[in-house]
Amino acid sequence: MTSTTDADATATASASADATADGYGELRAQLATLTTEAFRPELAEIDRLGTLEIARIMNGEDQSVPAAVGARLPEIAAAIDGTAERMARGGRLIYAGAGTAGRLGVLDASECPPTFNTDPAEVIGLIAGGPTAMVKAVEGAEDSKELAAADLDALELTADDTVVGISASGRTPYAIGAVEHARRKGALTIGLSCNADSALGAAAEHGIEVVVGPELLTGSTRLKAGTAQKLVLNMLSTITMIRLGKTYGNLMVDVRASNEKLRARSRRIVSLATGASDEEIEAALAATDGEVKNAILTILGQVDGPTAATLLTASDGHLRAALAAAPRTT
């Protein structure tokens, strides 16, 4: 059986030979060197297998992703600490990517307001081609470094911001351009890719390269690479928010109660944090305009609503610090 290495070498040579013929030889040769684009001969007849067998193969492939992410935990932690430090000073977390990578960034950013009560301007997802590209490819958008710079300039980027370029291949011009422009502006930069020694990783202050190997479908990086990127983005936003005091233990005490489910969850969170009765919980939420963190502080710290707000402001929103500072009656 032909090995993956031999197949890649053949593809590279073929792409190089076609450089003059179709004008894409250089790019084809470059893609042929990427792990995420590698062809797997052993799966060449996967379409002839039964559905359950294909599902088992795909599930087995997915099981390798957490281990690949685990191998990059030191780099991920360092990036999170840098991000949290800047956000504590008022900086923003900005994701920039194209295609699936861009959509994953927008998804992670859009989940932060309801989960952590952040302002939509605090965590931002940029996708090459703008909002239209979320559902329909915008031709040529991912190939422009200049477009990435313009999108960041529209946000009036500052040195307190963090920009995360996301690209499975690690070669997408939009993601690299975003990181390069952000670095020139003094912002913290993170490059998240799924190939080793990537241009994106080299361009960023923090390179996170989660190598998940070739995909089940050749080059379909919405699969393992997309899963790996989602896991890393989960860590970046969630642990940053923990560092910023957006949680109390493992409770989402800054949750925004914008619908019936979240209003019920808010009351459950107050209950879990305090053990208070339903009557006490309703009174606390009424005294704090429905703010979960404040309500918990009024109960555990035995203070009124305005005092809870003052204590939380003084502690930069960290509930444990506010509780430690609460005046206790004996």
PDB file of all heavy atoms in Angstrom, residues 157-198:
ATOM      1  N   LEU A 157      -8.168  49.466  17.094  1.00  0.00           N
ATOM      2  CA  LEU A 157      -7.366  48.545  17.891  1.00  0.00           C
ATOM      3  C   LEU A 157      -6.430  49.291  18.836  1.00  0.00           C
ATOM      4  O   LEU A 157      -5.861  50.322  18.480  1.00  0.00           O
ATOM      5  CB  LEU A 157      -6.550  47.651  16.958  1.00  0.00           C
ATOM      6  CG  LEU A 157      -5.954  46.381  17.545  1.00  0.00           C
ATOM      7  CD1 LEU A 157      -7.055  45.384  17.882  1.00  0.00           C
ATOM      8  CD2 LEU A 157      -4.981  45.765  16.535  1.00  0.00           C
ATOM      9  N   THR A 158      -6.261  48.762  20.059  1.00  0.00           N
ATOM     10  CA  THR A 158      -5.344  49.354  21.036  1.00  0.00           C
ATOM     11  C   THR A 158      -4.358  48.297  21.529  1.00  0.00           C
ATOM     12  O   THR A 158      -4.529  47.097  21.291  1.00  0.00           O
ATOM     13  CB  THR A 158      -6.094  49.913  22.265  1.00  0.00           C
ATOM     14  OG1 THR A 158      -6.505  48.820  23.109  1.00  0.00           O
ATOM     15  CG2 THR A 158      -7.310  50.727  21.845  1.00  0.00           C
ATOM     16  N   ALA A 159      -3.350  48.749  22.247  1.00  0.00           N
ATOM     17  CA  ALA A 159      -2.329  47.835  22.784  1.00  0.00           C
ATOM     18  C   ALA A 159      -2.877  46.947  23.891  1.00  0.00           C
ATOM     19  O   ALA A 159      -2.238  45.955  24.264  1.00  0.00           O
ATOM     20  CB  ALA A 159      -1.142  48.645  23.307  1.00  0.00           C
ATOM     21  N   ASP A 160      -4.046  47.266  24.433  1.00  0.00           N
ATOM     22  CA  ASP A 160      -4.648  46.426  25.465  1.00  0.00           C
ATOM     23  C   ASP A 160      -5.490  45.296  24.879  1.00  0.00           C
ATOM     24  O   ASP A 160      -5.980  44.437  25.620  1.00  0.00           O
ATOM     25  CB  ASP A 160      -5.524  47.266  26.398  1.00  0.00           C
ATOM     26  CG  ASP A 160      -4.705  48.077  27.394  1.00  0.00           C
ATOM     27  OD1 ASP A 160      -3.572  47.651  27.700  1.00  0.00           O
ATOM     28  OD2 ASP A 160      -5.197  49.119  27.853  1.00  0.00           O
ATOM     29  N   ASP A 161      -5.677  45.303  23.575  1.00  0.00           N
ATOM     30  CA  ASP A 161      -6.489  44.279  22.934  1.00  0.00           C
ATOM     31  C   ASP A 161      -5.678  42.997  22.672  1.00  0.00           C
ATOM     32  O   ASP A 161      -4.444  43.034  22.623  1.00  0.00           O
ATOM     33  CB  ASP A 161      -7.052  44.790  21.603  1.00  0.00           C
ATOM     34  CG  ASP A 161      -8.061  45.912  21.797  1.00  0.00           C
ATOM     35  OD1 ASP A 161      -8.772  45.899  22.822  1.00  0.00           O
ATOM     36  OD2 ASP A 161      -8.129  46.807  20.925  1.00  0.00           O
ATOM     37  N   THR A 162      -6.391  41.913  22.490  1.00  0.00           N
ATOM     38  CA  THR A 162      -5.794  40.634  22.086  1.00  0.00           C
ATOM     39  C   THR A 162      -6.437  40.204  20.779  1.00  0.00           C
ATOM     40  O   THR A 162      -7.666  40.195  20.666  1.00  0.00           O
ATOM     41  CB  THR A 162      -6.034  39.547  23.143  1.00  0.00           C
ATOM     42  OG1 THR A 162      -5.412  39.922  24.371  1.00  0.00           O
ATOM     43  CG2 THR A 162      -5.473  38.209  22.682  1.00  0.00           C
ATOM     44  N   VAL A 163      -5.621  39.877  19.803  1.00  0.00           N
ATOM     45  CA  VAL A 163      -6.136  39.413  18.507  1.00  0.00           C
ATOM     46  C   VAL A 163      -5.712  37.963  18.302  1.00  0.00           C
ATOM     47  O   VAL A 163      -4.524  37.634  18.383  1.00  0.00           O
ATOM     48  CB  VAL A 163      -5.622  40.286  17.349  1.00  0.00           C
ATOM     49  CG1 VAL A 163      -6.023  39.689  16.000  1.00  0.00           C
ATOM     50  CG2 VAL A 163      -6.173  41.708  17.484  1.00  0.00           C
ATOM     51  N   VAL A 164      -6.692  37.106  18.034  1.00  0.00           N
ATOM     52  CA  VAL A 164      -6.453  35.683  17.811  1.00  0.00           C
ATOM     53  C   VAL A 164      -6.699  35.371  16.339  1.00  0.00           C
ATOM     54  O   VAL A 164      -7.843  35.409  15.871  1.00  0.00           O
ATOM     55  CB  VAL A 164      -7.379  34.807  18.682  1.00  0.00           C
ATOM     56  CG1 VAL A 164      -7.040  33.325  18.494  1.00  0.00           C
ATOM     57  CG2 VAL A 164      -7.285  35.206  20.144  1.00  0.00           C
ATOM     58  N   GLY A 165      -5.644  35.092  15.596  1.00  0.00           N
ATOM     59  CA  GLY A 165      -5.797  34.650  14.220  1.00  0.00           C
ATOM     60  C   GLY A 165      -6.067  33.160  14.217  1.00  0.00           C
ATOM     61  O   GLY A 165      -5.364  32.397  14.878  1.00  0.00           O
ATOM     62  N   ILE A 166      -7.106  32.726  13.491  1.00  0.00           N
ATOM     63  CA  ILE A 166      -7.508  31.319  13.473  1.00  0.00           C
ATOM     64  C   ILE A 166      -7.431  30.804  12.040  1.00  0.00           C
ATOM     65  O   ILE A 166      -8.052  31.376  11.137  1.00  0.00           O
ATOM     66  CB  ILE A 166      -8.940  31.134  14.010  1.00  0.00           C
ATOM     67  CG1 ILE A 166      -9.165  31.920  15.308  1.00  0.00           C
ATOM     68  CG2 ILE A 166      -9.244  29.658  14.236  1.00  0.00           C
ATOM     69  CD1 ILE A 166     -10.624  32.012  15.720  1.00  0.00           C
ATOM     70  N   SER A 167      -6.684  29.740  11.834  1.00  0.00           N
ATOM     71  CA  SER A 167      -6.559  29.156  10.498  1.00  0.00           C
ATOM     72  C   SER A 167      -6.075  27.723  10.639  1.00  0.00           C
ATOM     73  O   SER A 167      -5.002  27.480  11.199  1.00  0.00           O
ATOM     74  CB  SER A 167      -5.568  29.949   9.642  1.00  0.00           C
ATOM     75  OG  SER A 167      -5.176  29.241   8.489  1.00  0.00           O
ATOM     76  N   ALA A 168      -6.861  26.765  10.154  1.00  0.00           N
ATOM     77  CA  ALA A 168      -6.453  25.366  10.257  1.00  0.00           C
ATOM     78  C   ALA A 168      -5.119  25.143   9.554  1.00  0.00           C
ATOM     79  O   ALA A 168      -4.218  24.497  10.096  1.00  0.00           O
ATOM     80  CB  ALA A 168      -7.520  24.463   9.656  1.00  0.00           C
ATOM     81  N   SER A 169      -4.973  25.691   8.365  1.00  0.00           N
ATOM     82  CA  SER A 169      -3.735  25.505   7.608  1.00  0.00           C
ATOM     83  C   SER A 169      -2.575  26.287   8.195  1.00  0.00           C
ATOM     84  O   SER A 169      -1.415  25.910   8.060  1.00  0.00           O
ATOM     85  CB  SER A 169      -3.941  25.938   6.157  1.00  0.00           C
ATOM     86  OG  SER A 169      -4.129  27.344   6.065  1.00  0.00           O
ATOM     87  N   GLY A 170      -2.892  27.410   8.840  1.00  0.00           N
ATOM     88  CA  GLY A 170      -1.846  28.287   9.345  1.00  0.00           C
ATOM     89  C   GLY A 170      -1.241  29.170   8.264  1.00  0.00           C
ATOM     90  O   GLY A 170      -0.261  29.868   8.507  1.00  0.00           O
ATOM     91  N   ARG A 171      -1.853  29.171   7.070  1.00  0.00           N
ATOM     92  CA  ARG A 171      -1.317  29.969   5.967  1.00  0.00           C
ATOM     93  C   ARG A 171      -2.334  30.978   5.431  1.00  0.00           C
ATOM     94  O   ARG A 171      -2.021  31.737   4.509  1.00  0.00           O
ATOM     95  CB  ARG A 171      -0.881  29.064   4.808  1.00  0.00           C
ATOM     96  CG  ARG A 171      -2.009  28.223   4.233  1.00  0.00           C
ATOM     97  CD  ARG A 171      -1.795  27.829   2.790  1.00  0.00           C
ATOM     98  NE  ARG A 171      -1.686  28.976   1.933  1.00  0.00           N
ATOM     99  CZ  ARG A 171      -2.716  29.670   1.435  1.00  0.00           C
ATOM    100  NH1 ARG A 171      -3.959  29.352   1.771  1.00  0.00           N
ATOM    101  NH2 ARG A 171      -2.507  30.678   0.632  1.00  0.00           N
ATOM    102  N   THR A 172      -3.544  31.018   5.970  1.00  0.00           N
ATOM    103  CA  THR A 172      -4.584  31.905   5.446  1.00  0.00           C
ATOM    104  C   THR A 172      -4.163  33.367   5.567  1.00  0.00           C
ATOM    105  O   THR A 172      -3.933  33.863   6.680  1.00  0.00           O
ATOM    106  CB  THR A 172      -5.905  31.683   6.202  1.00  0.00           C
ATOM    107  OG1 THR A 172      -6.248  30.294   6.133  1.00  0.00           O
ATOM    108  CG2 THR A 172      -7.023  32.521   5.602  1.00  0.00           C
ATOM    109  N   PRO A 173      -4.063  34.092   4.459  1.00  0.00           N
ATOM    110  CA  PRO A 173      -3.600  35.483   4.499  1.00  0.00           C
ATOM    111  C   PRO A 173      -4.418  36.380   5.426  1.00  0.00           C
ATOM    112  O   PRO A 173      -3.852  37.236   6.112  1.00  0.00           O
ATOM    113  CB  PRO A 173      -3.718  35.927   3.035  1.00  0.00           C
ATOM    114  CG  PRO A 173      -3.513  34.662   2.263  1.00  0.00           C
ATOM    115  CD  PRO A 173      -4.212  33.606   3.068  1.00  0.00           C
ATOM    116  N   TYR A 174      -5.736  36.206   5.473  1.00  0.00           N
ATOM    117  CA  TYR A 174      -6.562  37.061   6.334  1.00  0.00           C
ATOM    118  C   TYR A 174      -6.155  36.912   7.798  1.00  0.00           C
ATOM    119  O   TYR A 174      -5.978  37.906   8.508  1.00  0.00           O
ATOM    120  CB  TYR A 174      -8.048  36.716   6.160  1.00  0.00           C
ATOM    121  CG  TYR A 174      -8.972  37.618   6.954  1.00  0.00           C
ATOM    122  CD1 TYR A 174      -9.428  38.820   6.429  1.00  0.00           C
ATOM    123  CD2 TYR A 174      -9.396  37.268   8.237  1.00  0.00           C
ATOM    124  CE1 TYR A 174     -10.284  39.653   7.153  1.00  0.00           C
ATOM    125  CE2 TYR A 174     -10.241  38.078   8.966  1.00  0.00           C
ATOM    126  CZ  TYR A 174     -10.679  39.273   8.427  1.00  0.00           C
ATOM    127  OH  TYR A 174     -11.502  40.091   9.163  1.00  0.00           O
ATOM    128  N   ALA A 175      -5.993  35.673   8.263  1.00  0.00           N
ATOM    129  CA  ALA A 175      -5.621  35.439   9.663  1.00  0.00           C
ATOM    130  C   ALA A 175      -4.214  35.940   9.949  1.00  0.00           C
ATOM    131  O   ALA A 175      -3.956  36.580  10.980  1.00  0.00           O
ATOM    132  CB  ALA A 175      -5.735  33.953   9.993  1.00  0.00           C
ATOM    133  N   ILE A 176      -3.284  35.666   9.040  1.00  0.00           N
ATOM    134  CA  ILE A 176      -1.905  36.138   9.225  1.00  0.00           C
ATOM    135  C   ILE A 176      -1.850  37.659   9.190  1.00  0.00           C
ATOM    136  O   ILE A 176      -1.173  38.291  10.010  1.00  0.00           O
ATOM    137  CB  ILE A 176      -0.985  35.551   8.137  1.00  0.00           C
ATOM    138  CG1 ILE A 176      -0.907  34.024   8.281  1.00  0.00           C
ATOM    139  CG2 ILE A 176       0.418  36.146   8.238  1.00  0.00           C
ATOM    140  CD1 ILE A 176      -0.197  33.326   7.135  1.00  0.00           C
ATOM    141  N   GLY A 177      -2.587  38.251   8.254  1.00  0.00           N
ATOM    142  CA  GLY A 177      -2.612  39.709   8.157  1.00  0.00           C
ATOM    143  C   GLY A 177      -3.155  40.358   9.415  1.00  0.00           C
ATOM    144  O   GLY A 177      -2.661  41.402   9.848  1.00  0.00           O
ATOM    145  N   ALA A 178      -4.179  39.734  10.022  1.00  0.00           N
ATOM    146  CA  ALA A 178      -4.754  40.272  11.260  1.00  0.00           C
ATOM    147  C   ALA A 178      -3.714  40.268  12.377  1.00  0.00           C
ATOM    148  O   ALA A 178      -3.551  41.250  13.115  1.00  0.00           O
ATOM    149  CB  ALA A 178      -5.976  39.456  11.667  1.00  0.00           C
ATOM    150  N   VAL A 179      -2.995  39.155  12.496  1.00  0.00           N
ATOM    151  CA  VAL A 179      -1.980  39.032  13.547  1.00  0.00           C
ATOM    152  C   VAL A 179      -0.820  40.002  13.307  1.00  0.00           C
ATOM    153  O   VAL A 179      -0.353  40.674  14.235  1.00  0.00           O
ATOM    154  CB  VAL A 179      -1.485  37.575  13.624  1.00  0.00           C
ATOM    155  CG1 VAL A 179      -0.197  37.464  14.414  1.00  0.00           C
ATOM    156  CG2 VAL A 179      -2.561  36.690  14.258  1.00  0.00           C
ATOM    157  N   GLU A 180      -0.363  40.091  12.070  1.00  0.00           N
ATOM    158  CA  GLU A 180       0.752  40.993  11.767  1.00  0.00           C
ATOM    159  C   GLU A 180       0.380  42.441  12.035  1.00  0.00           C
ATOM    160  O   GLU A 180       1.169  43.203  12.624  1.00  0.00           O
ATOM    161  CB  GLU A 180       1.177  40.814  10.310  1.00  0.00           C
ATOM    162  CG  GLU A 180       1.856  39.481  10.023  1.00  0.00           C
ATOM    163  CD  GLU A 180       2.178  39.280   8.559  1.00  0.00           C
ATOM    164  OE1 GLU A 180       1.568  39.975   7.707  1.00  0.00           O
ATOM    165  OE2 GLU A 180       3.023  38.424   8.249  1.00  0.00           O
ATOM    166  N   HIS A 181      -0.817  42.838  11.631  1.00  0.00           N
ATOM    167  CA  HIS A 181      -1.263  44.222  11.842  1.00  0.00           C
ATOM    168  C   HIS A 181      -1.432  44.506  13.331  1.00  0.00           C
ATOM    169  O   HIS A 181      -1.024  45.577  13.818  1.00  0.00           O
ATOM    170  CB  HIS A 181      -2.575  44.457  11.104  1.00  0.00           C
ATOM    171  CG  HIS A 181      -3.025  45.878  11.098  1.00  0.00           C
ATOM    172  ND1 HIS A 181      -2.352  46.884  10.426  1.00  0.00           N
ATOM    173  CD2 HIS A 181      -4.081  46.491  11.709  1.00  0.00           C
ATOM    174  CE1 HIS A 181      -2.971  48.036  10.604  1.00  0.00           C
ATOM    175  NE2 HIS A 181      -4.024  47.823  11.382  1.00  0.00           N
ATOM    176  N   ALA A 182      -2.032  43.545  14.059  1.00  0.00           N
ATOM    177  CA  ALA A 182      -2.240  43.732  15.501  1.00  0.00           C
ATOM    178  C   ALA A 182      -0.910  43.852  16.227  1.00  0.00           C
ATOM    179  O   ALA A 182      -0.760  44.667  17.151  1.00  0.00           O
ATOM    180  CB  ALA A 182      -3.044  42.562  16.058  1.00  0.00           C
ATOM    181  N   ARG A 183       0.065  43.078  15.814  1.00  0.00           N
ATOM    182  CA  ARG A 183       1.369  43.126  16.478  1.00  0.00           C
ATOM    183  C   ARG A 183       2.045  44.473  16.242  1.00  0.00           C
ATOM    184  O   ARG A 183       2.693  45.018  17.141  1.00  0.00           O
ATOM    185  CB  ARG A 183       2.247  41.976  15.982  1.00  0.00           C
ATOM    186  CG  ARG A 183       3.401  41.666  16.925  1.00  0.00           C
ATOM    187  CD  ARG A 183       3.957  40.284  16.714  1.00  0.00           C
ATOM    188  NE  ARG A 183       4.952  39.985  17.717  1.00  0.00           N
ATOM    189  CZ  ARG A 183       5.592  38.827  17.827  1.00  0.00           C
ATOM    190  NH1 ARG A 183       5.326  37.838  16.965  1.00  0.00           N
ATOM    191  NH2 ARG A 183       6.495  38.628  18.768  1.00  0.00           N
ATOM    192  N   ARG A 184       1.877  45.012  15.043  1.00  0.00           N
ATOM    193  CA  ARG A 184       2.443  46.341  14.769  1.00  0.00           C
ATOM    194  C   ARG A 184       1.791  47.406  15.644  1.00  0.00           C
ATOM    195  O   ARG A 184       2.432  48.408  15.992  1.00  0.00           O
ATOM    196  CB  ARG A 184       2.260  46.695  13.289  1.00  0.00           C
ATOM    197  CG  ARG A 184       3.194  45.945  12.340  1.00  0.00           C
ATOM    198  CD  ARG A 184       3.183  46.553  10.957  1.00  0.00           C
ATOM    199  NE  ARG A 184       1.896  46.406  10.291  1.00  0.00           N
ATOM    200  CZ  ARG A 184       1.563  45.378   9.515  1.00  0.00           C
ATOM    201  NH1 ARG A 184       2.429  44.395   9.312  1.00  0.00           N
ATOM    202  NH2 ARG A 184       0.375  45.326   8.931  1.00  0.00           N
ATOM    203  N   LYS A 185       0.529  47.176  16.011  1.00  0.00           N
ATOM    204  CA  LYS A 185      -0.195  48.133  16.847  1.00  0.00           C
ATOM    205  C   LYS A 185       0.083  47.919  18.338  1.00  0.00           C
ATOM    206  O   LYS A 185      -0.422  48.669  19.178  1.00  0.00           O
ATOM    207  CB  LYS A 185      -1.699  47.991  16.602  1.00  0.00           C
ATOM    208  CG  LYS A 185      -2.147  48.410  15.205  1.00  0.00           C
ATOM    209  CD  LYS A 185      -2.126  49.908  15.034  1.00  0.00           C
ATOM    210  CE  LYS A 185      -2.717  50.327  13.706  1.00  0.00           C
ATOM    211  NZ  LYS A 185      -2.745  51.798  13.533  1.00  0.00           N
ATOM    212  N   GLY A 186       0.856  46.896  18.674  1.00  0.00           N
ATOM    213  CA  GLY A 186       1.197  46.639  20.070  1.00  0.00           C
ATOM    214  C   GLY A 186       0.234  45.748  20.808  1.00  0.00           C
ATOM    215  O   GLY A 186       0.380  45.530  22.020  1.00  0.00           O
ATOM    216  N   ALA A 187      -0.782  45.204  20.117  1.00  0.00           N
ATOM    217  CA  ALA A 187      -1.741  44.302  20.756  1.00  0.00           C
ATOM    218  C   ALA A 187      -1.099  42.932  20.988  1.00  0.00           C
ATOM    219  O   ALA A 187      -0.129  42.559  20.324  1.00  0.00           O
ATOM    220  CB  ALA A 187      -2.989  44.155  19.891  1.00  0.00           C
ATOM    221  N   LEU A 188      -1.648  42.171  21.929  1.00  0.00           N
ATOM    222  CA  LEU A 188      -1.217  40.795  22.122  1.00  0.00           C
ATOM    223  C   LEU A 188      -1.736  39.969  20.953  1.00  0.00           C
ATOM    224  O   LEU A 188      -2.877  40.160  20.504  1.00  0.00           O
ATOM    225  CB  LEU A 188      -1.778  40.238  23.429  1.00  0.00           C
ATOM    226  CG  LEU A 188      -1.374  38.797  23.767  1.00  0.00           C
ATOM    227  CD1 LEU A 188       0.091  38.735  24.148  1.00  0.00           C
ATOM    228  CD2 LEU A 188      -2.253  38.241  24.882  1.00  0.00           C
ATOM    229  N   THR A 189      -0.913  39.045  20.445  1.00  0.00           N
ATOM    230  CA  THR A 189      -1.341  38.248  19.304  1.00  0.00           C
ATOM    231  C   THR A 189      -1.207  36.756  19.588  1.00  0.00           C
ATOM    232  O   THR A 189      -0.238  36.303  20.188  1.00  0.00           O
ATOM    233  CB  THR A 189      -0.535  38.594  18.037  1.00  0.00           C
ATOM    234  OG1 THR A 189       0.871  38.466  18.322  1.00  0.00           O
ATOM    235  CG2 THR A 189      -0.815  40.016  17.591  1.00  0.00           C
ATOM    236  N   ILE A 190      -2.218  36.016  19.143  1.00  0.00           N
ATOM    237  CA  ILE A 190      -2.261  34.567  19.288  1.00  0.00           C
ATOM    238  C   ILE A 190      -2.551  33.981  17.908  1.00  0.00           C
ATOM    239  O   ILE A 190      -3.445  34.459  17.202  1.00  0.00           O
ATOM    240  CB  ILE A 190      -3.367  34.145  20.276  1.00  0.00           C
ATOM    241  CG1 ILE A 190      -3.118  34.766  21.662  1.00  0.00           C
ATOM    242  CG2 ILE A 190      -3.455  32.623  20.386  1.00  0.00           C
ATOM    243  CD1 ILE A 190      -4.305  34.633  22.612  1.00  0.00           C
ATOM    244  N   GLY A 191      -1.798  32.971  17.518  1.00  0.00           N
ATOM    245  CA  GLY A 191      -2.030  32.299  16.243  1.00  0.00           C
ATOM    246  C   GLY A 191      -2.431  30.864  16.483  1.00  0.00           C
ATOM    247  O   GLY A 191      -1.643  30.075  16.991  1.00  0.00           O
ATOM    248  N   LEU A 192      -3.679  30.525  16.147  1.00  0.00           N
ATOM    249  CA  LEU A 192      -4.205  29.179  16.368  1.00  0.00           C
ATOM    250  C   LEU A 192      -4.301  28.439  15.039  1.00  0.00           C
ATOM    251  O   LEU A 192      -5.064  28.837  14.149  1.00  0.00           O
ATOM    252  CB  LEU A 192      -5.584  29.256  17.027  1.00  0.00           C
ATOM    253  CG  LEU A 192      -6.362  27.946  17.188  1.00  0.00           C
ATOM    254  CD1 LEU A 192      -5.575  26.924  17.988  1.00  0.00           C
ATOM    255  CD2 LEU A 192      -7.724  28.219  17.843  1.00  0.00           C
ATOM    256  N   SER A 193      -3.513  27.385  14.892  1.00  0.00           N
ATOM    257  CA  SER A 193      -3.531  26.604  13.655  1.00  0.00           C
ATOM    258  C   SER A 193      -3.435  25.119  13.966  1.00  0.00           C
ATOM    259  O   SER A 193      -3.278  24.722  15.121  1.00  0.00           O
ATOM    260  CB  SER A 193      -2.378  27.022  12.739  1.00  0.00           C
ATOM    261  OG  SER A 193      -1.150  26.515  13.238  1.00  0.00           O
ATOM    262  N   CYS A 194      -3.510  24.306  12.916  1.00  0.00           N
ATOM    263  CA  CYS A 194      -3.443  22.848  13.101  1.00  0.00           C
ATOM    264  C   CYS A 194      -2.315  22.225  12.284  1.00  0.00           C
ATOM    265  O   CYS A 194      -2.378  21.045  11.934  1.00  0.00           O
ATOM    266  CB  CYS A 194      -4.790  22.223  12.749  1.00  0.00           C
ATOM    267  SG  CYS A 194      -6.110  22.687  13.894  1.00  0.00           S
ATOM    268  N   ASN A 195      -1.293  23.012  11.974  1.00  0.00           N
ATOM    269  CA  ASN A 195      -0.082  22.525  11.315  1.00  0.00           C
ATOM    270  C   ASN A 195       1.135  23.026  12.071  1.00  0.00           C
ATOM    271  O   ASN A 195       1.138  24.167  12.568  1.00  0.00           O
ATOM    272  CB  ASN A 195      -0.015  23.003   9.866  1.00  0.00           C
ATOM    273  CG  ASN A 195      -0.879  22.170   8.941  1.00  0.00           C
ATOM    274  OD1 ASN A 195      -0.599  21.007   8.687  1.00  0.00           O
ATOM    275  ND2 ASN A 195      -1.956  22.773   8.451  1.00  0.00           N
ATOM    276  N   ALA A 196       2.141  22.199  12.173  1.00  0.00           N
ATOM    277  CA  ALA A 196       3.375  22.595  12.842  1.00  0.00           C
ATOM    278  C   ALA A 196       4.150  23.578  11.977  1.00  0.00           C
ATOM    279  O   ALA A 196       4.040  23.582  10.753  1.00  0.00           O
ATOM    280  CB  ALA A 196       4.229  21.372  13.135  1.00  0.00           C
ATOM    281  N   ASP A 197       4.915  24.440  12.639  1.00  0.00           N
ATOM    282  CA  ASP A 197       5.786  25.398  11.951  1.00  0.00           C
ATOM    283  C   ASP A 197       5.009  26.251  10.956  1.00  0.00           C
ATOM    284  O   ASP A 197       5.458  26.506   9.831  1.00  0.00           O
ATOM    285  CB  ASP A 197       6.930  24.664  11.230  1.00  0.00           C
ATOM    286  CG  ASP A 197       7.741  23.796  12.181  1.00  0.00           C
ATOM    287  OD1 ASP A 197       8.042  24.267  13.292  1.00  0.00           O
ATOM    288  OD2 ASP A 197       8.052  22.651  11.817  1.00  0.00           O
ATOM    289  N   SER A 198       3.839  26.707  11.372  1.00  0.00           N
ATOM    290  CA  SER A 198       2.972  27.476  10.477  1.00  0.00           C
ATOM    291  C   SER A 198       3.399  28.939  10.412  1.00  0.00           C
ATOM    292  O   SER A 198       4.003  29.478  11.339  1.00  0.00           O
ATOM    293  CB  SER A 198       1.524  27.406  10.955  1.00  0.00           C
ATOM    294  OG  SER A 198       1.372  28.080  12.203  1.00  0.00           O
TER     295      SER A 198
END
